[in-house]
Amino acid sequence: MEEIKYDISDVPKPGLLLGLSFQHLFAMFGSTVLVPILVGIDPAIALFSSGLGTLAHLTVTKYKIPAYMGSSFAYIATMQTLLKTDGMPAVAQGAISGGLVYLLVALIVKFAGKDWIDKVLPPIVVGPIIMVIGLSLATSAVNNAMLVNEKYSISSLAVSMVTLFSVILFSIYGKKIISVIPILLGLIVGYLFALGLGALTGQNLVDFSGIAKASWLDIPDFHIFLSDGHFKFYPSAILTMAPIAFVTMTEHFGHVMVLNSLTGRDFFKDPGLERTLSGDGLAQIIAGFFGAPPVTSYGENIGVMALNKIFSVYVIAGAAVIAVIMSFVGKVSALLQSIPASVLGGVSISLFGVIASSGLKILVENQVDFDKKKNLFIASVILVSGIGGLMLQIAGLQITSVAFSTLLGIILYQILPEKD
């Protein structure tokens, strides 16, 4: 292991601390603001909740784990559906319920250990579910890439392809920090190309009207839980979003293991898996309370730490504080909302594809044997039901495809015999 420059509890000098914190801000920025934009939520809320959630996670874990909490892509399809049918209160309840699932699992881990988790969520269940999360969003990504007002546009396709290849090239050929922020850089290149193409063709590909109207200091469009004093229970939202928390938990375990390797520590023991799960759960509850997308620990920020060997939690905290401050800059929110759908489409094609491929990677790394009929049918049912949109709807109660396919996979793994 290379020599650590700044360890967990080390505090860099103020100027260096600020620069390093901005570096982490740039690493998480592209993905964190992309989720709310795709869903239709003010991206400033996501910035605010990511910063506040990160500070909460640091506090719960006793400032021992350098983890940044950003918007989770696992919930996008479900959030889009719920926003159309029930609105933001339903999404908020779903996000909070997901956070409560984390807290419940943390409580079980504290008293019963963590071995049972592998029995409930083995690779043959987790891998296909993650593939469903990525592939179920494919249609949305492609439509953004090539359609304008539901009509095919060659200009839109050109912008999306330039954006897509920019993300790929930055990721593969970028050196150091460049390779960690390909999404942010891809968004910038796509945005600039859309401006240039619009000027050449006379098309209005980027709308600046919102930026001109926005004030510099502005309060994000929070959807505070119960802000109107009325409560309506959304069981469909809870049953739809809560199971997805089990999927993002596997991502959480992976990130903690990577941090263990990078820092030479065992965070499963100190501060303990129950605290890392509780930190994630509290951060997600905070996001739901303010009307933001659910959050999860970010691999992009772990990538930054792997490159610069700086693991100071104070650098992470600095990035969180900057994110909260930026959420109140109205011009930033307006600029983000002016990003053309074609640019978002190009980024989404790469990102959702990577999510799906990471599910495939789980199956390959764990050498899942598809000659076993149990494994074959579990993967088959999850993939077809999840991507096809199979949902459970009874008397107004609706569980959407990602959650339903997750439940089917868990049930099938428990009831099918190991031997054919």
Side-chain angles (χ1 to χ4, degrees):
M1 185 171 67
E2 291 183 42
E3 184 179 353
I4 294 174
K5 295 178 181 177
Y6 285 93
D7 209 348
I8 304 291
S9 58
D10 294 340
V11 185
K13 293 179 180 179
L16 179 60
L17 176 63
L18 184 64
L20 292 171
S21 294
F22 264 109
Q23 193 176 52
H24 275 283
L25 181 80
F26 293 146
M28 69 84 187
F29 195 88
S31 298
T32 291
V33 301
L34 180 61
V35 174
I37 293 172
L38 291 172
V39 172
I41 299 174
D42 182 359
I45 304 176
L47 276 178
F48 177 85
S49 65
S50 76
L52 198 61
T54 298
L55 293 173
H57 188 277
L58 288 170
T59 302
V60 171
T61 56
K62 300 180 178 180
Y63 275 75
K64 290 184 176 181
I65 297 182
Y68 193 93
M69 309 300 292
S71 302
S72 172
F73 284 84
Y75 295 86
I76 290 178
T78 303
M79 290 179 69
Q80 288 172 336
T81 301
L82 290 174
L83 281 171
K84 290 177 183 177
T85 55
D86 298 310
M88 196 59 219
V91 173
Q93 284 188 27
I96 290 171
S97 67
L100 292 175
V101 168
Y102 269 88
L103 297 182
L104 177 62
V105 172
L107 191 64
I108 296 172
V109 166
K110 183 175 182 179
F111 293 104
K114 61 183 178 65
D115 292 340
W116 60 273
I117 294 173
D118 291 332
K119 297 177 182 178
V120 176
L121 292 169
I124 184 55
V125 173
V126 174
I129 290 169
I130 293 175
M131 293 172 70
V132 164
I133 289 171
L135 295 176
S136 63
L137 294 162
T139 302
S140 171
V142 170
N143 286 343
N144 278 337
M146 66 180 184
L147 301 181
V148 176
N149 297 324
E150 299 184 359
K151 294 182 180 179
Y152 183 84
S153 169
I154 190 66
S155 296
S156 178
L157 181 63
V159 171
S160 64
M161 290 299 100
V162 167
T163 306
L164 169 62
F165 282 100
S166 296
V167 172
I168 295 171
L169 292 173
F170 282 127
S171 181
I172 293 177
Y173 295 105
K175 302 295 184 182
K176 296 184 178 179
I177 189 63
I178 299 296
S179 65
V180 180
I181 55 173
I183 294 170
L184 176 61
L185 295 175
L187 285 169
I188 293 171
V189 170
Y191 193 95
L192 294 175
F193 182 77
L195 283 175
L197 185 61
L200 285 173
T201 60
Q203 296 174 284
N204 186 23
L205 299 179
V206 182
D207 184 4
F208 289 112
S209 59
I211 302 173
K213 293 176 184 176
S215 58
W216 282 102
L217 183 61
D218 192 18
I219 297 175
D221 186 19
F222 292 123
H223 296 274
I224 304 291
F225 192 60
L226 290 180
S227 59
D228 59 357
H230 299 288
F231 178 80
K232 182 179 179 182
F233 188 50
Y234 293 95
S236 295
I238 292 171
L239 290 173
T240 295
M241 292 184 71
I244 302 175
F246 289 106
V247 182
T248 58
M249 257 180 232
T250 62
E251 185 179 40
H252 170 85
F253 300 145
H255 286 168
V256 174
M257 284 188 281
V258 173
L259 286 171
N260 284 344
S261 175
L262 289 172
T263 62
R265 287 171 166 78
D266 187 351
F267 293 123
F268 289 127
K269 291 183 178 179
D270 184 23
L273 181 58
E274 68 274 11
R275 281 191 174 272
T276 70
L277 287 169
S278 297
D280 268 41
L282 180 58
Q284 188 155 316
I285 290 170
I286 289 171
F289 181 84
F290 286 101
V295 294
T296 185
S297 55
Y298 255 31
E300 291 90 334
N301 297 88
I302 295 174
V304 171
M305 289 184 278
L307 287 171
N308 61 20
K309 303 302 174 186
I310 295 173
F311 305 106
S312 170
V313 291
Y314 298 100
V315 172
I316 299 293
V321 171
I322 296 170
V324 171
I325 293 171
M326 282 188 68
S327 69
F328 290 93
V329 181
K331 295 286 187 185
V332 171
S333 178
L335 177 64
L336 294 173
Q337 293 184 63
S338 73
I339 298 174
S342 53
V343 174
L344 299 176
V347 172
S348 299
I349 289 173
S350 63
L351 201 56
F352 299 158
V354 168
I355 292 171
S357 299
S358 66
L360 184 61
K361 180 183 175 185
I362 288 173
L363 296 174
V364 172
E365 287 182 343
N366 288 276
Q367 298 180 336
V368 174
D369 183 6
F370 280 99
D371 284 330
K372 290 178 65 176
K373 290 181 181 179
K374 176 176 181 174
N375 292 340
L376 184 65
F377 278 109
I378 290 173
S380 301
V381 170
I382 291 173
L383 288 171
V384 175
S385 62
I387 297 170
L390 185 68
M391 64 175 65
L392 177 65
Q393 189 167 335
I394 306 173
L397 182 68
Q398 185 183 87
I399 302 177
T400 56
S401 58
V402 175
F404 192 35
S405 61
T406 300
L407 292 173
L408 286 174
I410 291 172
I411 292 169
L412 285 174
Y413 184 79
Q414 301 305 319
I415 64 174
L416 292 180
E418 286 297 323
K419 293 184 179 180
D420 297 341

